[in-house]
Amino acid sequence: MPTARKQLVSLQDTPFYHCVSRCVRRSFLCGVDTYTGISYEHRRDWVEKRLLALSDAFSIDICAFAVMTNHTHLVLHVDAPKANAWSTLEVLHRWHRVFAGTDLTRRYCDDDQRDNLTQVELNQVKRKAELYRTRLADLSWFMRSLNEYIAREANKEDECTGRFWEGRFKSQALLDEQALLACMA
């Protein structure tokens, strides 16, 4: 049985990880398909724009990335202390940049409605914010947010359904400077 990702990622050992996601069914992420002559080069922009949006919301920094014809390489730095320093409002604003959130969290973010929340609702908001805080510093949530978006866009463009990525992403801890530099070269 495979090892759970939460057991593979140890931020105490290193905050740096190399993540790889591969396409399936001979799909093209970018480049030109030699059989059909169709160019998928515009998908590189999808990945870049999504990475910029995610790095703006998550407490995960992108050290390097490469978009190949059928896979992506990312070198990521998880900055958990940064996420822990955010206020509840900051966490919710960041979460809402990428996800819808709940009606209650959206009401909390609205200055006019925040004062009308009951203590029970405020406690629920605080619990949700703590959950979102952990997710905004989570490598799996970051990769999920990237890969799901790209898969949906590619499937829509290809007029098909089903898997676009080869299972979950692969990750490797970069334990020292030499590994980090080798990965970024």
Side-chain angles (χ1 to χ4, degrees), residues 51-62:
L51 283 172
L52 288 172
L54 292 176
S55 67
D56 188 44
F58 282 73
S59 68
I60 296 177
D61 303 316
I62 301 164

Side-chain angles (χ1 to χ4, degrees), residues 47-153:
V47 175
E48 187 173 335
K49 286 178 182 173
R50 188 63 175 177
L51 283 172
L52 288 172
L54 292 176
S55 67
D56 188 44
F58 282 73
S59 68
I60 296 177
D61 303 316
I62 301 164
C63 301
F65 74 95
V67 183
M68 314 304 275
T69 58
N70 70 342
H71 64 283
T72 61
H73 288 272
L74 301 170
V75 177
L76 302 173
H77 173 260
V78 181
D79 194 354
K82 178 178 162 185
N84 291 333
W86 292 334
S87 69
T88 299
L89 196 57
E90 176 74 11
V91 168
L92 295 177
H93 281 306
R94 286 175 174 271
W95 184 260
H96 292 158
R97 288 180 197 163
V98 182
F99 304 102
T102 65
D103 178 54
L104 194 56
T105 60
R106 287 190 302 276
R107 284 179 32 216
Y108 183 85
C109 289
D110 185 356
D111 292 334
D112 297 333
Q113 294 186 28
R114 189 176 316 129
D115 295 333
N116 298 335
L117 296 177
T118 66
Q119 189 60 44
V120 172
E121 291 173 326
L122 289 172
N123 290 340
Q124 288 176 336
V125 167
K126 300 265 191 242
R127 281 196 301 276
K128 273 294 187 198
E130 287 310 308
L131 176 65
Y132 295 163
R133 182 188 312 276
T134 59
R135 289 178 178 176
L136 287 171
D138 189 301
L139 199 59
S140 290
W141 270 87
F142 183 90
M143 292 302 293
R144 171 191 174 205
S145 303
L146 172 66
N147 289 346
E148 183 179 328
Y149 173 82
I150 300 302
R152 287 181 188 274
E153 292 297 312

